[in-house]
Amino acid sequence: MSVSKVTIEDGCTICGLCEQICPDIFSMGETSAAVKEGANYTEFESTLREAAGSCPVNVIEIID
């Protein structure tokens, strides 16, 4: 199943782990991680899912 949307829910601790694992999708903002505009979810689906699964506070939501 392919990813149609990725969001960061409230509660992000800005640890930077998602950006370290998948810098093509995630970036760090002042108060939360962010999903880059125009990111290609299909091309980076494997590392995207790894980043979501590694989030220590489970705030990355992937919608298939």
Side-chain angles (χ1 to χ4, degrees):
M1 201 169 247
S2 63
V3 175
S4 63
K5 186 175 180 180
V6 178
T7 60
I8 308 290
E9 299 172 354
D10 290 342
C12 175
T13 59
I14 354 172
C15 71
L17 188 58
C18 59
E19 184 182 41
Q20 289 175 10
I21 294 171
C22 193
D24 295 294
I25 302 289
F26 300 103
S27 63
M28 290 296 106
E30 300 252 342
T31 59
S32 177
V35 178
K36 293 181 177 181
E37 278 191 45
N40 186 334
Y41 303 142
T42 303
E43 183 178 351
F44 302 105
E45 183 171 358
S46 177
T47 54
L48 167 59
R49 290 188 185 278
E50 179 184 349
S54 298
C55 177
V57 289
N58 297 312
V59 295
I60 301 172
E61 182 180 10
I62 297 175
I63 300 166
D64 291 316

